[in-house]
Amino acid sequence: MRNSRIAITGLGIFCAASKDIPTFTDALLTGKSAIGPVDLFDVTPFPSRIGAQVKEYRPDDYFGKKGAARLSRADQFAAIAAGQALAASDVRRHYDMFDIGVAVGAGAAGMIHSEQWLRERLAGKRGHPALLRGILPDRTATALAERFRLCGYQGSVTTACSSSATAIGWGAGLIATGQLKACLCGGTDTLSVLTYAGFNSLRVVDREPCSPFSLGRQGISLGEGAAFLVLEEEAAAVARGATIHGFILGYALDGEAHHMTAPEPTGAEAARVMRDALAAAGLTTDNVGWVNAHGTGTPLNDAIESKAFRQVFGQRAAEVPLVSTKGLTGHCLGAAGAIEITATLLALQAGIIPQTLNFRGTDPECDLDYCHTGPKPSAATVALSNSFAFGGNITSVVISR
Amino acid sequence: MTNRTLDIAVTGCAAISAAGVGAAALREAVDAGTPCLTPVPAELLGEPGHYWGKADAFRAADFMPPLKARKFDRSSLLATVTAGLALQDAGATPAALGATRIGIALGCGFGGIANSVEFLSGYFSAGIDGLVPMLFPNTVANAPASNASIEHGLKGPNVTQVQRFCSAETALQMACRFLAEGRADVMLAGGVDELNAPVMQGFHAMGQLRRYAHGFGEGCGILVLERRDHAERRGTAIRGTIDEIRTIGFIPEEHCAAGTDRLLGATAPELLSLSGTAPEWPPVANIFPAVRRLAVGPLVGRSLAMGGLAMVSLLLLLAPGQRGLHLAASPEGPYFGIDFTGGGPV
């Protein structure tokens, strides 16, 4: 990808922090956390009862009755965010429909609806088959392709919390290698009983809003949402007069081959993926102004990511901030990478390094600059965004304004 | 969308399916043309008359200690064992080649569903006391690829694709790209799916058992891929090559001809492999009418990631220098056309 810069010509977002790019930018710059009580389903049995839920959402505001019925909550969020990105880029007017693809990072997909089917079955009822329609994570890509008539490619990456970061890197690669002229890529995920109960059962959910890299952090705050980017080759975007918001300069994805849930303890693998991403972009750490961490707020992740960061940045580790935006958006699992790449780009454009929210005190294992006290002005042009997942699926993406 | 002149060598393969354990069992079933489907136990669905391709001959205990096998879901077991057999077939070990230079790209259609249902059933039936934390990690679709990578020490690119009946083909496309870009020297690529009670009951509720009446199947098919120059340097036998991959997503009805044209290559194949819903896709009837057709779905059952088994079958049947076209389709897309050329004896 060194010879061909991949431009971002459209952005869209729909999450708890905001329902469009301007308000998301405002929330990012001012540090407005979206984490609060969850009422999408009954959370009273769990130790943690909070999350970054999209509130005041009415499908009727965005879809006809029939359209909404055919789409899961995750599909709907994706369609809204993707619609924003496509409208902003106006890309469909300029390319043949067979030259535009869709690459989605998918997570729990329509699990929340399928859970209702299972409840009905366990209660001895028939269970409405339509509740199962969106259970497979590929449904979103198919729905987007059909809805927006994007015919060039249709793929869904499902690598848990690194899904959408990988989908964006992959989409950029498809353009860089001339296989597509444009690609709608991003991710979507919604809260579900499965993930809420699952992470609670693993005891990695904080009862208070997550506090990445802080002393006494207890774990994640789950979130939901979708973010999508429209990518195309820079020269083509310039030629058609598109607004270029920034660039995907490179990415890497690796396997830690260590454990299904625990990160590799030395940080060597997380360090490797950051180095590989920079190499793919043809850059060094000297080019990087800050890093949007995976930064979940779990005791293990944050300590090991800090350790990996020190290995990669060496002497510069003290001067390059490592920040987490999960205090703002919650951990949106399959959509996390796309939301964080969007946040990274918006912060680069605004000339700030965002704040890591909810500081509770300094942890000796996390002794770097996490921007805990507030956003910082920055002239940085390049940042990394890390996404680490169950199974040791790790991805890092290099973004520039 | 085309990956031109890939020149990716296939240096090994493995399969586990309703035909048995190992590529030879699959080859035998394909040669015989006899379906390996068996009746779905009537008590599972509440009615008789349905068939499935269950990999009954596969016993994880033949490959690993039972206590170890217990931590995996069935898809992960199938993927982990098949990956090991494929590496063995290719003579490729992470120790010799460098762990960070070997990766895996796997299509996985239904992975995680059985664990998700079991995990949620515990909660819905018994509340928070019914939660079993050890089930949760395997509810993700990437568990099979991740477990295989952990078991075999594969530290290169690791990715899972779910894309309807083209899940394995999408994974193969990624694997070839990663090789071409130099992200890895060796990639395992293919597909895995498991059959279980929740999946079958879901199909039944949605009417899918009638729609895809050939019967659903399970198993895993994996190809070992590397750039030709790497395979030659390694001095390993090249069992075939992947020459070009073409894919499109959704085809609007009025653009069917334009879409189909993009899937067909420049040269006529001598063997046509049909996967997913390609055998029922109307344009296929008119494509290369005189060419021999291979469809493994009716033989071992159909699954979302059956392309892994189909591509292994195609490779097994191709004579040296013979050209094969693998066509895969899903309702509402995507569609794949992949050109293979046969190499040395498999």
Side-chain angles (χ1 to χ4, degrees):
Chain A
M1 291 168 63
R2 287 175 191 166
N3 299 323
S4 177
R5 287 212 302 181
I6 303 306
I8 302 164
T9 57
L11 287 169
I13 198 160
F14 193 81
C15 66
S18 79
K19 292 172 180 165
D20 54 46
I21 291 292
T23 51
F24 184 72
T25 307
D26 180 61
L28 181 70
L29 301 188
T30 57
K32 285 182 198 158
S33 173
I35 298 168
V38 168
D39 59 11
L40 191 60
F41 42 80
D42 181 16
V43 295
T44 53
F46 302 109
S48 164
R49 296 170 188 173
I50 57 170
Q53 177 188 330
V54 176
K55 294 287 179 68
E56 295 170 6
Y57 172 63
R58 288 176 299 276
D60 295 353
D61 293 345
Y62 300 90
F63 305 94
K65 198 172 178 182
K66 199 173 167 186
R70 294 189 63 211
L71 300 172
S72 71
R73 184 176 172 89
D75 295 343
Q76 291 174 19
F77 287 5
I80 295 166
Q84 292 171 15
L86 286 166
S89 76
D90 198 23
V91 74
R92 287 176 295 166
R93 254 186 349 115
H94 294 272
Y95 299 122
D96 185 293
M97 63 173 74
F98 286 106
D99 290 327
I100 309 175
V102 54
V104 175
M111 183 56 73
I112 191 168
H113 310 283
S114 304
E115 286 163 354
Q116 181 58 32
W117 183 83
L118 180 62
R119 275 183 194 274
E120 291 177 15
R121 298 281 287 197
L122 290 171
K125 298 175 186 167
R126 182 173 163 264
H128 198 291
L131 291 168
L132 290 173
R133 191 182 282 140
I135 190 173
L136 295 180
D138 54 13
R139 179 62 207 157
T140 304
T142 306
L144 294 180
E146 191 173 8
R147 184 178 186 85
F148 297 113
R149 293 169 74 86
L150 309 174
C151 308
Y153 169 85
Q154 191 188 115
S156 304
V157 175
T158 51
T159 50
C161 306
S162 65
S163 298
S164 52
T166 303
I168 289 169
W170 173 240
L174 290 173
I175 297 163
T177 52
Q179 295 172 83
L180 287 176
K181 290 187 176 164
C183 191
L184 171 71
C185 39
T188 184
D189 215 340
T190 60
L191 291 166
S192 67
V193 176
L194 176 72
T195 49
Y196 206 87
F199 283 103
N200 268 284
S201 76
L202 295 180
R203 299 174 190 273
V204 291
V205 184
D206 205 319
R207 291 171 193 237
E208 302 296 322
C210 68
S211 57
F213 303 109
S214 279
L215 185 68
R217 65 191 177 278
Q218 296 295 312
I220 64 175
S221 294
L222 285 162
E224 62 178 359
F228 279 83
L229 285 66
V230 174
L231 306 181
E232 53 191 304
E233 202 270 327
E234 180 183 16
V238 169
R240 74 175 183 87
T243 300
I244 294 177
H245 303 280
F247 301 91
I248 301 295
L249 298 180
Y251 80 108
L253 75 167
D254 288 316
E256 289 195 335
H258 173 69
H259 192 273
M260 266 307 287
T261 53
E264 191 279 323
T266 69
E269 303 304 331
R272 179 165 61 94
V273 81
M274 286 187 259
R275 286 194 192 103
D276 287 352
L278 285 170
L283 300 178
T284 70
T285 53
D286 289 343
N287 302 107
V288 178
W290 56 281
V291 173
N292 190 330
H294 187 55
T296 55
T298 63
L300 266 185
N301 175 90
D302 293 2
I304 293 170
E305 190 168 10
S306 298
K307 204 184 277 188
F309 184 86
R310 280 191 288 271
Q311 291 169 36
V312 175
F313 284 82
Q315 287 187 328
R316 280 202 78 218
E319 63 193 64
V320 178
L322 177 66
V323 304
S324 169
T325 50
K326 284 187 168 69
L328 171 73
T329 63
H331 188 353
C332 297
L333 305 180
I339 289 172
E340 288 159 26
I341 286 168
T342 302
T344 306
L345 176 64
L346 294 173
L348 283 169
Q349 284 181 323
I352 64 131
I353 303 171
Q355 180 179 1
T356 301
L357 297 174
N358 309 323
F359 183 54
R360 295 179 193 166
T362 303
D363 179 348
E365 285 196 288
C366 300
D367 57 355
L368 300 165
D369 178 2
Y370 305 101
C371 289
H372 272 138
T373 54
K376 289 182 180 176
S378 167
T381 57
V382 175
L384 278 174
S385 183
N386 288 338
S387 296
F388 303 152
F390 268 13
N393 289 73
I394 52 176
T395 299
S396 192
V397 179
V398 186
I399 302 134
S400 80
R401 64 178 162 93
Chain B
M1 188 176 114
T2 301
N3 272 340
R4 290 197 185 283
T5 57
L6 278 171
D7 202 18
I8 297 293
V10 185
T11 56
C13 66
I16 296 174
S17 68
V21 176
L26 181 62
R27 167 79 197 248
E28 204 173 305
V30 169
D31 281 341
T34 309
C36 305
L37 307 184
T38 55
V40 180
E43 61 269 24
L44 188 69
L45 302 174
E47 64 175 86
H50 295 290
Y51 287 80
W52 65 2
K54 200 87 168 90
D56 287 326
F58 172 66
R59 282 179 297 276
D62 294 344
F63 298 92
M64 64 179 80
L67 279 178
K68 185 178 197 175
R70 275 180 57 195
K71 71 174 183 174
F72 294 119
D73 62 319
R74 186 168 172 82
S75 288
S76 292
L77 286 171
L78 288 163
T80 300
V81 171
T82 310
L85 294 172
L87 286 168
Q88 200 177 351
D89 188 49
T93 63
L97 300 171
T100 60
R101 302 302 299 163
I102 307 185
I104 182 166
L106 212 55
C108 179
F110 306 115
I113 287 180
N115 268 43
S116 299
V117 168
E118 193 178 347
F119 182 80
L120 285 167
S121 296
Y123 176 63
F124 290 152
S125 304
I128 204 160
D129 293 335
L131 290 172
V132 182
M134 69 176 286
L135 287 172
F136 184 57
N138 285 340
T139 61
V140 290
N142 56 310
S146 295
N147 278 317
S149 74
I150 292 166
E151 184 65 18
H152 300 296
L154 314 176
K155 296 190 173 189
N158 185 317
V159 71
T160 300
Q161 281 268 4
V162 180
Q163 200 54 51
R164 302 167 74 80
F165 283 108
C166 294
S167 297
E169 289 79 1
T170 312
L172 181 95
Q173 179 194 24
M174 288 186 104
C176 290
R177 194 70 252 156
F178 293 159
L179 291 169
E181 290 172 355
R183 295 178 187 271
D185 294 326
V186 176
M187 287 293 300
L188 305 189
V192 63
D193 264 319
E194 68 172 271
L195 288 177
N196 49 61
V199 165
M200 292 302 289
Q201 285 158 358
F203 289 152
H204 191 241
M206 296 181 77
Q208 302 283 35
L209 295 181
R210 285 189 299 279
R211 191 176 179 194
Y212 301 112
H214 292 313
F216 279 90
E218 68 171 0
C220 185
I222 289 181
L223 302 172
V224 181
L225 311 175
E226 46 196 303
R227 291 182 304 279
R228 180 190 286 275
D229 62 332
H230 186 270
E232 287 174 350
R233 269 202 310 278
R234 203 160 68 81
T236 191
I238 292 177
R239 316 301 183 82
T241 56
I242 296 168
D243 310 316
E244 188 172 296
I245 299 176
R246 301 170 295 277
T247 183
I248 49 174
F250 168 69
I251 308 183
E253 205 173 323
E254 67 275 22
H255 295 283
C256 188
T260 311
D261 283 349
R262 290 174 182 251
L263 282 181
L264 304 178
T267 54
E270 296 160 84
L271 182 59
L272 188 61
S273 159
L274 301 173
S275 187
T277 55
E280 295 91 50
W281 188 38
V284 165
N286 304 320
I287 295 172
F288 312 120
V291 175
R292 183 188 167 195
R293 291 168 183 231
L294 163 69
V296 297
L299 301 178
V300 297
R302 188 176 349 217
S303 68
L304 291 182
M306 68 176 291
L309 289 171
M311 289 186 285
V312 168
S313 301
L314 177 63
L315 183 75
L316 294 171
L317 260 64
L318 281 175
Q322 196 178 23
R323 293 184 303 274
L325 170 62
H326 176 74
L327 274 181
S330 295
E332 299 127 30
Y335 305 80
F336 273 83
I338 304 176
D339 292 337
F340 284 79
T341 301
V346 177

